[in-house]
């Protein structure tokens, strides 16, 4: 096999077996793709994908045909019993690809195999145009389920057009499953108070997108919160009595509280009727037999309205009984239940109660995660899918190193423990400030490691290959520069939200928020006992900023490095021919420069450092910075519209404006 260093093209995921010859093959200027009818691709989508890429790369138009009476320089066919054996790729999704002077042949074990082979050929055409390398590939995936999980509820609701573009990209990198995370952003009948103003997805959207994904060989699996994460629903007039703490329903909206206080009171019989209604109406819109009921992070379970019942039977039993009832409800309708595994892993006795047809989604996002939790589920005999993350939440720039470390580890652990597949998650905590296009490198990490987790691919090598294949960057530096830029995020969106939300809106410290900030959580009780009263907002913010002092000192150096990344990436982006990602990256980098400066200014205002110290620490022009923030926010809003409906953009804007107002206040 030719060394990666000797060629200017790459394939992602990297094939398991590839032999590259010495010669090249010139595509005819008037060729044809012959796609066998046996493949089951009713609209000949795979042939059309190839024709579109040939036209884009070479400017020539190709024909499409089927049947043995028609020639084809590119031939797509289904294997017969002699083409694959059990040791040579005889699994779902396996394919062979041959490119030589006689033409190009893709043979798949099944429809998915042909689809996967076509995606490999498309990548080669995109990079090489009309002159392809001679080669032979025999390839098959390690994970039968290679899924992606996209948050479509906590800030952003993607447009249907962008969802289709994302499905196209998932197909190119051989994903075969997609789930959209839904809490309150679906237009369920009778729940308009919950979804009003959120730009909800509709049944028509779902039916159209389900068909679109199916044509691409992607299973669209329904996923909806049915237990925890009911923050918006539990704040409505009609449904608040179903929550653990209905008395808190009128508290001001909080990004942080939305992540923590959102649990149904499952001791109330009406809760199951509510969850079952969501399940029953939603499942009818999907062809998939799988259904994800979520049921994660039920933090308030047994602490509010259900406290008495939890004391009687135990929190674990209360949880297991409710989830088991929902799973049985799905099973009776011929569906295969899935749910997030965090609570069952915290209380392992729950694992023993799971029905055989339930799949536990075992999420672990730590970059240095161990296999302990995955081993625990495997030893309990439960079915599991391992779930790493692209690490984009709460930040303008993706944490690429964290994503690579997390995804590569979890994929290997999953294979070692016999997991059924991998589901790569993409969350939007705190308003989904992260542009979904920034998740592409992490998504491609997932594609590589779900396909071939045992490979010895180095991170830098994979970053270069992503630059070439995805972005058309001949220098192979684009993603590395993006990674370097993300390392300069000192004061992030998360810290800004935490700082602002420490004020409960009345001038008092929001203790629920303070409890989520480690440097404050340990001090709250001590402060009350020492002083006899609650911590003030000023005291909480002082402590938060002082805890960040060492980090804050890096900001001048970090911003210089970030500005250099912007200088280095600009000419590369100019030659990629992708203005969408160019604009998204520029806006994200400019935004992070401003966030760093905001953190610097707030630290200065809290006397974290003497403003007259030597070095880079200089007094800030707070009002000028406030104006820059507001101007940046307008540009950010325009980019939001490129992928997303209005949904909760206003919450992002209000947070930026609140930060600008705070800067003006401290300037007085």
């Amino acid at each position: 096999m030719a060394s990666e260093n000797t060629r200017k093209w790459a394939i992602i995921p990297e094939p398991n077996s590839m032999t590259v010859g010495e010669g090249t093959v010139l595509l005819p200027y008037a060729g044809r793709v012959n796609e066998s009818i046996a493949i089951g691709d009713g609209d000949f989508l795979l042939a059309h994908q190839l024709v579109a890429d040939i036209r884009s790369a070479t400017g020539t138009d190709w024909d499409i045909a089927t049947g043995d009476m028609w020639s084809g320089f590119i031939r797509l066919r289904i294997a017969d019993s002699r083409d694959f054996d059990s040791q040579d790729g005889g699994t779902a999704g396996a394919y062979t690809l041959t490119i030589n002077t006689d033409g190009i042949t893709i043979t798949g074990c099944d429809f998915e195999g042909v689809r996967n082979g076509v995606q490999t050929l498309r990548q080669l055409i995109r990079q090489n145009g009309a002159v392809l390398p001679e080669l032979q590939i025999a390839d098959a995936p390690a994970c039968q389920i290679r899924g992606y999980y996209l948050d479509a509820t906590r800030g952003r609701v993607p447009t249907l057009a962008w969802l289709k573009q994302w499905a196209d990209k998932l197909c190119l990198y051989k994903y075969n499953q997609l789930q959209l995370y839904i809490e309150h952003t679906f237009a369920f009948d009778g729940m308009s108070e919950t979804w009003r103003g959120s730009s909800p997805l509709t049944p028509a959207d779902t039916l159209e997108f389900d068909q679109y994904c199916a044509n691409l060989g992607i299973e669209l699996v329904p996923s909806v919160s049915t237990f925890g994460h009911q923050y918006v629903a539990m704040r409505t007039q009609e449904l608040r009595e179903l929550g653990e703490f209905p008395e808190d329903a009128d508290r001001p909206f909080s990004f942080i509280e939305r992540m923590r206080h959102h649990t149904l009171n499952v001791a109330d019989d009406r809760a199951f009727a509510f969850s079952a209604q969501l399940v029953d109406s939603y499942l009818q819109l999907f062809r998939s037999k799988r259904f994800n009921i979520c049921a994660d992070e039920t933090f308030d379970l047994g602490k509010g309205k259900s406290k008495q019942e939890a004391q009687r039977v135990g929190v674990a039993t209360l949880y297991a009984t409710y989830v088991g009832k929902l799973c049985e409800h799905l099973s009776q309708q011929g569906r295969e239940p899935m749910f997030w595994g965090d609570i069952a892993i915290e209380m392992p006795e729950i694992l023993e109660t799971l029905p055989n047809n339930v799949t536990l989604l075992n999420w672990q996002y730590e970059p240095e995660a161990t296999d302990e939790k995955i081993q625990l589920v495997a030893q309990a005999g439960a079915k599991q899918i391992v779930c790493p993350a692209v690490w984009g939440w709460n930040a303008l720039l993706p944490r690429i190193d964290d994503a690579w470390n997390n995804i590569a580890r979890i994929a290997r652990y999953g294979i070692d423990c016999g997991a059924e597949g991998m589901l790569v998650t993409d969350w939007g905590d705190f308003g989904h400030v992260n542009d979904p296009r920034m998740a592409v490198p992490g998504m491609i990490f997932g594609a590589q490691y779900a396909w071939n987790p045992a490979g010895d691919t180095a991170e830098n090598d994979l970053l270069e290959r992503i630059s070439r294949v995805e972005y058309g960057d001949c220098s192979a530096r684009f993603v590395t520069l993006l990674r370097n830029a993300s390392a300069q995020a000192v004061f992030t969106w998360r810290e800004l939200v935490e700082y602002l939300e420490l004020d409960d809106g009345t001038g008092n410290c929001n203790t629920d928020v303070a409890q989520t900030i480690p440097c404050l959580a340990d001090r709250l009780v001590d402060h009350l006992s020492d002083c006899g009263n609650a911590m003030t907002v000023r005291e909480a913010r002082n402590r938060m900023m002082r805890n960040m002092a060492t980090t804050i000192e890096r900001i001048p150096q970090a911003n210089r490095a970030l500005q250099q990344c912007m200088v280095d990436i600009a000419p590369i982006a100019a030659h990629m021919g992708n203005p969408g990602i160019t604009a998204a990256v520029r806006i994200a980098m400019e935004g992070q420069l401003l966030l760093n400066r905001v953190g610097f200014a707030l630290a200065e205002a809290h006397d974290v450092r003497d403003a007259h110290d030597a070095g880079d620490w200089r007094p800030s022009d707070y009002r000028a910075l406030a104006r820059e923030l507001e101007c940046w926010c307008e540009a950010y809003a325009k980019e939001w519209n490129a992928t997303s409906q209005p949904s909760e953009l206003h919450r992002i804007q209000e947070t930026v404006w609140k930060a600008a107002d705070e800067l003006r206040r401290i300037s007085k």
Side-chain angles (χ1 to χ4, degrees), residues 1 9 25 28 113 151 195 204 222 364 366 451 454 512 532 570 579 591-592 607 610 629 633 636 639:
M1 184 170 116
W9 52 267
V25 174
D151 191 337
W195 50 254
Q364 291 184 77
E366 300 86 355
W451 190 273
D512 279 353
Q592 187 55 58
D607 298 320
D610 185 345
L629 272 176
C633 193
Y636 174 87
E639 278 309 302

Side-chain angles (χ1 to χ4, degrees), residues 9 23-28 57-58 99 104 124-134:
W9 52 267
T24 57
V25 174
L26 179 65
L27 293 177
T58 72
I99 302 177
I104 301 171
L124 290 169
I125 291 169
R126 289 182 175 197
Q127 295 170 82
N128 294 283
V131 181
L132 302 181
E134 285 189 329

Side-chain angles (χ1 to χ4, degrees), residues 61-78:
D61 287 314
W62 277 40
D63 191 17
I64 294 172
T66 190
D68 58 11
M69 297 296 292
W70 297 92
S71 63
F73 191 81
I74 299 176
R75 300 173 291 276
L76 312 181
R77 53 188 292 268
I78 285 285

Side-chain angles (χ1 to χ4, degrees), residues 266-484:
V266 296
D268 187 327
D269 291 339
R270 295 174 297 174
F272 183 77
F274 168 75
S275 297
Q277 179 182 357
L278 294 178
V279 167
D280 293 347
S281 55
Y282 203 46
L283 65 80
Q284 294 180 352
L285 304 175
F286 296 81
R287 67 192 67 204
S288 173
K289 294 299 182 184
R290 296 182 174 94
F291 196 108
N292 181 3
I293 62 171
C294 295
D296 57 316
E297 297 187 326
T298 52
F299 299 126
D300 289 331
L301 182 63
K303 296 179 180 178
K305 289 286 189 178
S306 70
K307 185 174 183 178
Q308 185 175 354
E309 182 65 10
Q311 289 173 337
R312 187 179 73 84
V313 303
V315 173
T317 297
L318 190 60
Y319 178 90
T321 300
Y322 195 75
V323 169
K325 191 175 179 181
L326 280 174
C327 290
E328 177 60 26
H329 182 73
L330 279 163
S331 298
Q332 290 173 354
Q333 301 179 70
R335 304 289 169 149
E336 301 171 15
M338 297 174 154
F339 70 95
W340 298 110
D342 52 308
I343 304 301
I345 289 169
E346 284 179 18
M347 296 178 277
E349 61 267 34
I350 295 173
L351 295 173
E352 301 172 4
T353 70
L354 297 180
N356 292 332
N357 69 330
V358 172
T359 300
L360 188 131
L361 302 173
N362 195 345
W363 61 270
Q364 291 184 77
Y365 302 150
E366 300 86 355
E368 305 299 325
T370 69
D371 66 350
E372 180 181 358
K373 294 180 179 179
I374 297 171
Q375 289 276 12
L376 176 67
V377 176
Q379 290 166 5
K383 294 196 298 184
Q384 67 177 318
I385 291 174
V386 294
C387 307
V390 299
W391 272 87
W393 63 86
N394 297 344
L396 291 172
L397 292 166
R399 286 150 289 192
I400 290 175
D401 284 342
D402 289 339
W404 182 80
N405 278 303
N406 177 234
I407 291 169
R409 287 170 183 270
I410 296 301
R412 290 194 294 269
Y413 299 156
I415 290 295
D416 292 344
C417 293
E420 297 197 334
M422 187 162 79
L423 183 67
V424 180
T425 62
D426 183 356
W427 296 104
D429 306 8
F430 291 18
H432 212 145
V433 71
N434 40 310
D435 190 308
R437 292 170 291 188
M438 294 296 189
V440 169
M443 178 271 284
I444 298 177
F445 291 164
Q448 172 63 52
Y449 289 104
W451 190 273
N452 186 8
D456 58 356
T457 302
E459 180 184 8
N460 287 338
D461 172 64
L462 189 50
L463 297 184
E464 290 179 1
R465 290 198 285 131
I466 294 171
S467 294
R468 292 186 187 281
V469 176
E470 171 61 23
Y471 298 107
D473 169 25
C474 295
S475 75
R477 297 178 62 217
F478 180 78
V479 183
T480 297
L481 288 168
L482 183 59
R483 186 267 310 272
N484 295 346

